[in-house]
Amino acid sequence: EESLQMWDLNKRLEAYLARVKFLEEENEVLRAEIQSARSSPAGDSWRARYEEELRALRDALDHAFREKCSAELARDNLYEEVQQVKSRCQKEQAAREEAKKQLSLSRKELEEERRAQIWLKERAVQLEKEVEALLEVHEEEKAGLDQEIASFSQSLESFRCAPVAFQPVEVEDYSKRLSEIWKGAVETYKTEVSQLEGSLCQAKENLWKAVEDNQQSQLQLQHLEKDLAGLKARKEMLEESLARQWQEQRGEAEKFQLAMEALEQEKQSLRAQIAQVLEDRQQLMHLKMSLSLEVATYRTLLEAESTRLQMPAG
């Protein structure tokens, strides 16, 4: 039974010794690599490589942070530009509303001028009718006066033929009165005709002024419509440029976010790899210490067993 235990212990000892030998060879190889790395200035150790990688990652992170800051500044600038564009759009909207108000006022003035033009036309027609009526009345009065003069001349002829019953002074007074009445009627007719002609000329002038004002209002309306169309086109162009800049900014922000996430994942993976390497190295150190302790224990046991076996022989 003791021989079987010793045989089992020997087998385990051989396995541990082989493991220790393998680990010592690995340690020698690692020591040689460390010595060669220390002796050769061009060679870089794993720590230097990892530090360099970490430095590169820090630089990349700083570069990404700077790009993020620049993107935020560009975003703020774009936001300010958007606010300016909005204010311009509001101003253009107010200008358009003002133009609409002016257009409505111009239309109202145009309607009023049209109504005034129609009224002036109707007034001119009415004045023409009144002039015609006055001319007819004048003709009738003239015909009546001609008839009265003819009858008066006949009466004078009869007075000449008949014996004179009236005094010549009364006849002269009657003729003077008739001539004065005739002159007053002619002057009244002339004044009425001149007044009608003046009112007709004034109506024509008002009509021409209304036509000219109507043409100017139409021209102003056309200019306002052109300005309104230009403002609409400018607003559409500004909205399209704003949407395009917003899309570009969103795309750039998404790209920066993806780059930051990729760098963060790479950083985490590198940290995990470094931790795994350190943990493996720590486990190797613990395993080496346990194996060295076990080898020392077996060595002590073997020495004690050899001394125990050698004592009866001595």
Side-chain angles (χ1 to χ4, degrees):
E1 187 178 355
E2 288 179 357
S3 64
L4 288 173
Q5 289 180 0
M6 289 297 295
W7 184 74
D8 189 12
L9 289 172
N10 286 326
K11 290 294 184 182
R12 290 178 64 187
L13 182 59
E14 287 178 359
Y16 280 115
L17 289 173
R19 184 74 179 274
V20 168
K21 187 177 180 181
F22 176 72
L23 290 174
E24 286 180 353
E25 289 177 355
E26 284 188 352
N27 284 331
E28 290 295 332
V29 171
L30 289 172
R31 192 177 291 111
E33 289 180 357
I34 290 169
Q35 291 295 330
S36 63
R38 285 179 180 177
S39 60
S40 62
D44 295 330
S45 63
W46 62 273
R47 184 174 292 176
R49 285 200 306 273
Y50 283 124
E51 286 179 355
E52 186 178 358
E53 289 178 359
L54 284 172
R55 193 179 299 109
L57 287 173
R58 288 193 185 97
D59 293 336
L61 187 61
D62 293 335
H63 182 67
F65 184 73
R66 286 194 296 271
E67 288 181 352
K68 182 182 177 182
C69 291
S70 63
E72 288 178 354
L73 288 173
R75 183 188 63 189
D76 294 335
N77 293 326
L78 286 173
Y79 182 74
E80 291 178 358
E81 290 179 359
V82 167
Q83 293 297 326
Q84 290 178 1
V85 169
K86 283 184 180 179
S87 64
R88 288 179 183 174
C89 288
Q90 289 176 359
K91 289 180 181 178
E92 289 176 358
Q93 185 73 22
R96 187 172 64 182
E97 294 294 332
E98 187 67 24
K100 285 183 179 179
K101 289 180 181 178
Q102 290 181 0
L103 183 62
S104 63
L105 291 174
S106 299
R107 286 178 179 174
K108 288 180 180 179
E109 290 177 358
L110 182 63
E111 291 293 331
E112 290 177 358
E113 288 174 358
R114 287 178 180 174
R115 291 174 183 174
Q117 184 179 1
I118 293 169
W119 182 81
L120 287 172
K121 287 180 179 179
E122 292 177 354
R123 183 64 178 168
V125 172
Q126 186 178 1
L127 289 173
E128 288 178 357
K129 289 181 179 179
E130 290 179 359
V131 168
E132 291 176 356
L134 288 172
L135 289 173
E136 289 178 356
V137 171
H138 176 67
E139 291 293 332
E140 290 176 357
E141 289 179 355
K142 187 178 179 182
L145 288 173
D146 291 333
Q147 289 178 1
E148 288 179 359
I149 289 167
S151 62
F152 181 70
S153 61
Q154 288 177 2
S155 64
L156 286 176
E157 291 292 333
S158 63
F159 284 149
R160 287 175 184 176
C161 295
V164 178
F166 297 98
Q167 295 179 1
V169 178
E170 294 178 356
V171 174
E172 289 178 357
D173 292 334
Y174 185 70
S175 64
K176 286 180 180 179
R177 287 175 65 187
L178 286 176
S179 62
E180 288 176 357
I181 291 168
W182 173 253
K183 288 180 181 179
V186 171
E187 291 294 331
T188 305
Y189 173 72
K190 287 181 179 180
T191 53
E192 288 179 356
V193 169
S194 62
Q195 288 178 359
L196 289 173
E197 288 178 352
S199 62
L200 183 61
C201 292
Q202 186 67 31
K204 288 181 179 179
E205 288 179 358
N206 293 327
L207 182 62
W208 282 110
K209 285 182 181 179
V211 171
E212 289 178 355
D213 293 334
N214 188 8
Q215 290 177 358
Q216 290 179 1
S217 299
Q218 288 180 358
L219 291 173
Q220 188 176 4
L221 180 63
Q222 290 177 0
H223 287 301
L224 289 173
E225 288 178 353
K226 288 181 181 178
D227 293 336
L228 183 61
L231 290 172
K232 285 182 179 179
R234 188 176 179 185
K235 181 183 177 183
E236 291 177 356
M237 183 176 67
L238 288 173
E239 287 178 352
E240 289 177 358
S241 64
L242 180 62
R244 186 171 59 254
Q245 289 177 1
W246 186 254
Q247 291 294 332
E248 290 177 357
Q249 184 184 3
R250 286 185 64 185
E252 290 178 357
E254 290 177 356
K255 287 180 182 179
F256 283 126
Q257 189 67 28
L258 291 173
M260 290 289 292
E261 290 177 357
L263 289 171
E264 189 67 27
Q265 289 179 0
E266 191 174 358
K267 182 180 177 182
Q268 295 294 332
S269 64
L270 287 172
R271 284 183 178 177
Q273 288 178 6
I274 292 169
Q276 186 66 32
V277 169
L278 293 174
E279 188 178 358
D280 292 338
R281 186 178 179 186
Q282 192 71 23
Q283 288 180 0
L284 287 173
M285 292 295 293
H286 286 298
L287 184 59
K288 183 179 179 183
M289 289 174 67
S290 63
L291 287 174
S292 62
L293 289 172
E294 196 168 356
V295 168
T297 303
Y298 280 113
R299 189 175 293 167
T300 305
L301 289 173
L302 287 174
E303 288 177 355
E305 187 66 25
S306 64
T307 54
R308 188 176 64 80
L309 291 175
Q310 290 175 3
M311 282 177 68

